[in-house]
Amino acid sequence: MAAEGGGKEINEIKTQFTTREGVYKLLTQSEYSRPNRVPFNSQGFNPVKVSFVNVNDQSGNGERICFNVGRELYFYIYKGVRKAADLSKPVDKRIYKGTQPTCHDFNPFTATAESVSLLVGFSAGQVQLIDPIKKETSKLFNEERLIDKSRVTCVRWVPGSESLFLVAHSSGNMYLYNTENTCGTTAPHYQLLKQGENYAVHTCKSKSARNPLLRWTVGEGALNEFAFSPDGKFLACASQDGFLRVFGFDAAELHGTMKSYFGGLLCVCWSPDGRYIVAGGEDDLVTVWSFSDCRVIARGHGHKSWVSVVAFDHCTTSVEDCDPPAEFSGSDEDFHEQIPFGAGRDRANSAHSRLSKRNSTDSRPVSVTYRFGSVGQDTQLCLWDLTEDILFPHLPLSRTRTHTNVMSASSPSATGQTTITESTTTNIPSGTNGKDNASNSSSSSNPVNSLPNTLPRSNSLPYSSNPAGGSTPNSHTGSNSSSTTKSNSIIDSAFIATGVSKFATLSLHESRKERHEKDHKRNHSIGHISSKSGDKVNQLSASRTAKADAAKTLGTRLCPCMEEVPLLEPLVCKKIAHERLTVLIFLEDCLVTACQEGFICTWARPGKVGLLSSQNNPANSPSGTVV
């Protein structure tokens, strides 16, 4: 690791790392935390989370950041790589008693420089709607805990909606709320609306409009995280029972399922075009799942403990013509030296035409690389490249091939940005579901070269033709009902399409009993699970009979064996914190990480580090606490 000074202690905290596009450097002046900068004693507290929103103000400094540390919630103007952070001047600060904030989400659809809508979920089950710019608290949902008493694990605005939001709890339930409705003074009564394999959707029976509008019961155990697809039509849910379930949101239809290699799934994210889903969890792996094929296409092994966050880098896209990919193994620094910066480089806007050419003629194949990252409880940041040989294999992959480290000799471009918050709550068109391999060359019906105008800071990979719900692997008649708005399609009586009577599930019905699995045979694990992680896993292992179910699941389409799918190696794997990492967000100029000590770190992208080099800010280390 020459870039970090080779020969030093392996556990040293890294302040920079190198990829083929250059050097990412930690900006110590751009660190956000509590105003006193004292490391937070995180024992017994919920994970630190970070949310971003861009209010598009005229000053060019439109990013706003919100983060929770213990019982405190902070809201700042985020200056990123441009200026040093001034922690003495939070726009808003709140301290809660009796409960702790666990998650939060901005509504990018309604955000302005004068007002933002921020949802905050709490450990006791409540959800608060606040405006940190106006310093107002407008509403408190589930105040009496009549809807759900368990901890809020994830909260998201429904993409494109001003008033609808979805809340997940550790009870395994999700609830759809409307900010215009009250929660009532009595416990809600429900009526079954839709039921499928290990999930059910109920409506709230009431003479007058009240919250929740819907209740989703998904799997067994906690629902740890969910994410909307880029076009807002699908919902991916990661559950403690180890299952990834992907639903058509409007029709409450199960599209596909995946099982972790071991233990629960803790995090999930979509690729910018909606073609792939990456999930991470207690098996220490990142798993790449194809939306169109409903199957695992790759796993990544680099973490030594549970994976807490996965995220795609919307800004790094690599496209190159026809030259066969070169085999490479070694460090990322060696790779950077071998391939000159700028070789085969294309801006992301030209990538649209390159992929359009592939779809229409397939005369010269192109190489596409998705970049995604992950952070874990092992305090390590991993960056991964999902490359052409995995996405579009020209020949069947060898079943015995277990390591894939093939990268195309190109340099990605960084031409846009988005945040995790926005990527899961912004309604943009997404790519086709079909895999554009050599045999699929002419399914383009929509303009390929058009960028989504509803997310100008995002530059998703430009696949063509149908929206993300255009077809399922089992039925090409299409599962998109219409272009009706979310607020109408969910609430009114047309919520369930009359023609839908079967679910587009996987064909392995005999393996559905694996939902109960919370244990795993040790000889099935790839190892590298720390003793601390093992203790947690043992505590979660409730049923010993799950071992037999795990054996049934392993080797099926739900959970392929390790040798049956390519095993990715990380492009970068660096220890960057003293405590477990809980945040990873990719922005245009930087990437943002956070650890449980309450420090939010900004890592400048290559070429962006000079913006802060000449700045000296003596007020950057305030003493005392802002009230």
Side-chain angles (χ1 to χ4, degrees):
M1 303 300 177
E4 290 75 31
K8 294 185 179 180
E9 185 180 354
I10 192 171
N11 290 326
E12 179 189 2
I13 303 300
K14 306 300 181 183
T15 58
Q16 67 181 41
F17 56 85
T18 304
T19 63
R20 65 175 179 272
E21 62 266 21
V23 180
Y24 290 74
K25 293 185 178 181
L26 176 65
L27 301 180
T28 55
Q29 293 180 339
S30 294
E31 182 180 86
Y32 286 78
S33 67
R34 296 188 300 168
N36 58 14
R37 292 190 179 275
V38 176
F40 177 68
N41 184 2
S42 60
Q43 191 70 27
F45 286 89
N46 289 285
V48 173
K49 297 290 185 180
V50 175
S51 296
F52 282 96
V53 69
N54 194 307
V55 299
N56 296 316
D57 63 357
Q58 299 301 319
S59 66
N61 197 16
E63 291 286 353
R64 302 293 184 267
I65 183 174
C66 172
F67 58 90
N68 61 288
V69 181
R71 301 185 184 277
E72 303 170 4
L73 187 74
Y74 292 92
F75 180 79
Y76 282 94
I77 296 175
Y78 181 70
K79 300 177 181 179
V81 301
R82 294 179 297 276
K83 295 182 180 179
D86 185 2
L87 301 184
S88 65
K89 299 178 180 179
V91 178
D92 195 13
K93 172 188 175 182
R94 300 174 185 234
I95 301 178
Y96 297 95
K97 296 181 179 179
T99 187
Q100 307 168 27
T102 59
C103 52
H104 30 82
D105 188 40
F106 288 106
N107 191 340
F109 189 69
T110 60
T112 66
E114 294 76 30
S115 175
V116 294
S117 297
L118 176 66
L119 291 169
V120 184
F122 292 92
S123 56
Q126 304 94 334
V127 178
Q128 190 180 43
L129 175 62
I130 64 177
D131 188 334
I133 295 181
K134 295 182 177 179
K135 295 182 173 58
E136 294 178 353
T137 301
S138 56
K139 287 188 177 181
L140 183 62
F141 301 93
N142 193 28
E143 181 176 6
E144 303 299 326
R145 306 173 68 204
L146 298 173
I147 297 174
D148 200 306
K149 292 182 171 59
S150 64
R151 176 174 56 93
V152 176
T153 56
C154 187
V155 60
R156 293 281 187 269
W157 289 96
V158 173
S161 174
E162 297 183 7
S163 59
L164 296 179
F165 63 93
L166 196 61
V167 181
H169 289 257
S170 59
S171 62
N173 293 329
M174 285 190 302
Y175 302 91
L176 181 67
Y177 287 82
N178 190 327
T179 57
E180 306 299 326
N181 296 349
T182 63
C183 291
T185 57
T186 60
H189 296 278
Y190 297 101
Q191 179 177 357
L192 182 65
L193 181 64
K194 191 125 183 193
Q195 192 169 15
E197 290 284 350
N198 251 21
Y199 82 97
V201 182
H202 293 79
T203 58
C204 184
K205 294 174 59 178
S206 177
K207 294 181 179 179
S208 58
R210 64 160 291 179
N211 285 317
L213 304 177
L214 295 175
R215 181 185 72 181
W216 293 61
T217 303
V218 180
E220 296 183 0
L223 203 165
N224 291 319
E225 189 177 35
F226 64 83
F228 283 100
S229 61
D231 63 359
K233 296 178 180 178
F234 289 85
L235 185 70
C237 301
S239 298
Q240 189 59 43
D241 62 5
F243 278 86
L244 168 72
R245 297 176 178 88
V246 182
F247 297 95
F249 184 61
D250 285 353
E253 176 183 349
L254 183 63
H255 169 75
T257 312
M258 183 269 288
K259 176 70 175 61
S260 69
Y261 196 74
F262 169 66
L265 288 179
L266 305 178
C267 51
V268 63
C269 68
W270 292 78
S271 64
D273 55 8
R275 285 181 151 220
Y276 304 100
I277 297 174
V278 171
E282 296 173 358
D283 54 9
D284 306 349
L285 301 170
V286 292
T287 303
V288 185
W289 190 79
S290 170
F291 176 86
S292 60
D293 293 343
C294 291
R295 68 179 182 89
V296 176
I297 62 170
R299 291 189 179 103
H301 178 217
H303 288 283
K304 297 179 177 64
S305 187
W306 297 357
V307 180
S308 51
V309 181
V310 288
F312 274 88
D313 186 351
H314 298 62
C315 308
T316 303
T317 301
S318 175
V319 179
E320 184 192 8
D321 279 331
C322 97
D323 292 335
E327 289 286 347
F328 176 80
S329 60
S331 68
D332 47 275
E333 289 82 9
D334 295 336
F335 186 81
H336 179 64
E337 293 172 1
Q338 177 173 325
I339 299 174
F341 180 73
R345 184 174 186 175
D346 286 295
R347 303 295 290 178
N349 55 3
S350 65
H352 286 77
S353 60
R354 308 290 281 279
L355 286 172
S356 175
K357 181 179 180 181
R358 174 190 178 90
N359 292 336
S360 58
T361 65
D362 205 35
S363 58
R364 297 184 68 191
V366 296
S367 177
V368 183
T369 300
Y370 294 81
R371 170 71 56 79
F372 66 94
S374 58
V375 295
Q377 295 192 11
D378 57 0
T379 70
Q380 291 194 127
L381 163 69
C382 292
L383 295 182
W384 313 81
D385 273 352
L386 190 59
T387 50
E388 176 81 4
D389 60 313
I390 302 298
L391 302 176
F392 313 113
H394 300 290
L395 294 174
L397 273 173
S398 170
R399 285 309 202 187
T400 60
R401 182 179 181 183
T402 58
H403 288 271
T404 300
N405 201 357
V406 182
M407 301 177 186
S408 54
S410 62
S411 179
S413 58
T415 59
Q417 77 166 357
T418 187
T419 66
I420 290 179
T421 300
E422 293 170 350
S423 67
T424 56
T425 59
T426 306
N427 192 4
I428 68 172
S430 70
T432 179
N433 297 326
K435 181 180 289 187
D436 294 326
N437 53 23
S439 63
N440 184 7
S441 60
S442 61
S443 61
S444 177
S445 59
N446 295 333
V448 187
N449 299 334
S450 60
L451 279 169
N453 52 14
T454 55
L455 189 58
R457 297 181 300 120
S458 172
N459 209 343
S460 60
L461 290 178
Y463 292 93
S464 68
S465 72
N466 303 326
S471 64
T472 66
N474 299 330
S475 172
H476 293 282
T477 57
S479 60
N480 285 343
S481 55
S482 66
S483 60
T484 56
T485 62
K486 197 74 63 178
S487 57
N488 293 330
S489 60
I490 293 181
I491 301 175
D492 60 19
S493 58
F495 173 74
I496 299 299
T498 56
V500 178
S501 60
K502 295 182 179 180
F503 304 108
T505 59
L506 301 174
S507 60
L508 300 169
H509 299 291
E510 68 275 8
S511 60
R512 294 303 182 185
K513 294 180 181 179
E514 294 81 0
R515 304 297 197 280
H516 301 283
E517 178 190 352
K518 287 186 181 179
D519 202 355
H520 184 77
K521 289 186 176 180
R522 285 297 176 182
N523 60 346
H524 290 162
S525 176
I526 63 171
H528 297 288
I529 298 178
S530 66
S531 59
K532 183 177 179 181
S533 299
D535 293 339
K536 293 181 181 179
V537 171
N538 292 332
Q539 291 173 5
L540 294 173
S541 302
S543 173
R544 294 301 175 186
T545 58
K547 290 185 177 181
D549 292 335
K552 294 179 183 177
T553 307
L554 190 65
T556 67
R557 190 181 179 96
L558 285 174
C559 181
C561 294
M562 293 302 294
E563 66 271 11
E564 292 180 332
V565 295
L567 187 63
L568 305 176
E569 295 179 355
L571 180 70
V572 168
C573 188
K574 305 294 183 186
K575 178 181 176 66
I576 62 170
H578 291 289
E579 288 290 334
R580 66 184 186 271
L581 293 165
T582 58
V583 171
L584 175 61
I585 300 174
F586 290 96
L587 301 177
E588 180 181 11
D589 296 329
C590 59
L591 61 91
V592 177
T593 62
C595 69
Q596 194 56 20
E597 286 184 317
F599 296 117
I600 292 88
C601 298
T602 298
W603 301 76
R605 291 183 185 271
K608 306 293 184 179
V609 70
L611 299 180
L612 268 173
S613 59
S614 60
Q615 295 190 11
N616 294 315
N617 193 346
N620 198 29
S621 300
S623 60
T625 304
V626 178
V627 178

